Amino acid sequence: MHVWAIANQKGGVGKTTSVVNLSALLGEQGKRVLMVDMDPQGSLTSYFRMNPDAIEQSVYDLFMYKGRVPDNLTAQLIVDDVMPNVALLPANTALATLERNISQQGGMGLVLSRALAQLWDDFDYVLIDTPPLLGVLLINAIAAAQVLILPVQTEFMALKGLERMIHTLQMVTASRKKQLTYLIVPTMYDRRTQAGQRSLRTLRQTYDDRLWKSAIPIDTRLRDASREGMSITQLDPTSRGCEAYTSLLKTLQHDLP
């Protein structure tokens, strides 16, 4: 099982969009895919027309057992077939209380890793959507991941957020005593603007060895797909957004160490 976390300590950079569309493309390949919503805002859960304020069973339940995960609990929380070959472990807004309730408990950084271990033979890929804040949920996602995907909007303030995310990654990998492969993915790129061009140039100068060589463009069809609760490959497989995510998936599957 391959586990990818999509993370950035800044919101609005395309994390949820990336999880949905990479998962859909993997599903089209016939892979069994699980998406995990670790964000208390529940953007990924909401994408598929579920209400994070009302949903009863969610990833929150995994954290109720002092770091243990009862046998078969994880499978009971999964919503099947939100897209072809793609399932979802949803979030509810109660996740926002975890920092206050469990921050002093030991062993809480590995809850998601233990949960996914129960599903090792059930899925080919797991993609984790993460909150834009450093805390127990983001730490769980990084600890569970084999590859970290860092979407970064091609504008100045998003680049500052990327610096914080890289620093967090360095701290976590130092504590794990294990290097984590990561790929920086420029998103919302508008080649018509000087700001977009400058930001992409800065990324290439600063992070060249960790940077995806292309970019996810601004594409209104991605927004249309979100509004319809669909992936871009379901809505418009000929769109620029779909082409970009197809290229990104190829890099993730074949070009990373």
Side-chain angles (χ1 to χ4, degrees):
M1 185 165 74
H2 303 275
V3 184
W4 299 345
I6 292 79
N8 195 315
Q9 285 174 248
K10 183 180 185 304
V13 298
K15 294 191 296 291
T16 299
T17 298
S18 297
V19 170
V20 169
N21 290 299
L22 290 171
S23 296
L25 289 165
L26 286 165
E28 284 194 352
Q29 293 179 356
K31 307 298 185 184
R32 299 166 299 169
V33 184
L34 175 66
M35 302 181 297
V36 180
D37 192 350
M38 294 289 282
D39 188 351
Q41 296 181 28
S43 296
L44 181 60
T45 300
S46 298
Y47 197 107
F48 295 100
R49 305 302 184 260
M50 287 174 266
N51 184 356
D53 292 319
I55 196 167
E56 294 185 0
Q57 290 190 308
S58 77
V59 70
Y60 176 79
D61 294 60
L62 298 175
F63 291 86
M64 297 296 100
Y65 300 90
K66 298 182 178 180
R68 299 180 299 105
V69 181
D71 292 345
N72 301 318
L73 173 63
T74 314
Q76 296 171 22
L77 305 175
I78 291 171
V79 179
D80 289 320
D81 300 322
V82 294
M83 295 186 293
N85 293 322
V86 180
L88 172 66
L89 181 50
N92 67 15
T93 50
L95 280 171
T97 67
L98 281 180
E99 298 295 336
R100 181 174 65 251
N101 293 340
I102 68 171
S103 59
Q104 303 304 315
Q105 298 180 26
M108 300 304 290
L110 296 175
V111 171
L112 183 59
S113 298
R114 295 174 182 132
L116 295 181
Q118 297 180 355
L119 307 173
W120 205 258
D121 296 325
D122 298 331
F123 293 96
D124 301 304
Y125 286 85
V126 175
L127 278 73
I128 308 168
D129 196 11
T130 62
L133 298 170
L134 177 59
V136 68
L137 295 170
L138 182 56
I139 294 298
N140 265 268
I142 295 174
Q146 300 154 348
V147 172
L148 203 61
I149 301 165
L150 307 180
V152 56
Q153 187 178 356
T154 46
E155 57 97 16
F156 176 74
M157 291 307 297
L159 301 188
K160 302 302 289 184
L162 177 62
E163 292 178 11
R164 292 193 297 273
M165 188 65 228
I166 296 293
H167 180 65
T168 296
L169 180 58
Q170 290 169 342
M171 289 192 302
V172 173
T173 54
S175 67
R176 288 178 63 178
K177 297 181 173 61
K178 179 182 176 182
Q179 284 299 114
L180 182 62
T181 297
Y182 68 90
L183 183 69
I184 299 166
V185 177
T187 60
M188 303 179 193
Y189 176 58
D190 189 345
R191 62 185 179 185
R192 300 168 299 179
T193 68
Q194 290 189 359
Q197 293 176 24
R198 271 198 306 270
S199 297
L200 187 58
R201 190 160 54 244
T202 299
L203 284 169
R204 287 172 175 162
Q205 292 169 349
T206 309
Y207 301 105
D208 182 62
D209 60 329
R210 297 286 191 168
L211 184 71
W212 182 43
K213 301 310 179 187
S214 187
I216 305 297
I218 285 182
D219 185 351
T220 58
R221 298 302 277 162
L222 289 168
R223 187 169 60 243
D224 293 342
S226 174
R227 187 169 56 245
E228 297 297 326
M230 302 169 68
S231 70
I232 189 63
T233 187
Q234 291 172 310
L235 182 75
D236 188 352
T238 65
S239 65
R240 292 184 301 127
C242 190
E243 291 176 0
Y245 275 111
T246 300
S247 176
L248 173 58
L249 181 58
K250 182 178 179 181
T251 296
L252 291 165
Q253 288 184 305
H254 302 297
D255 296 341
L256 291 187

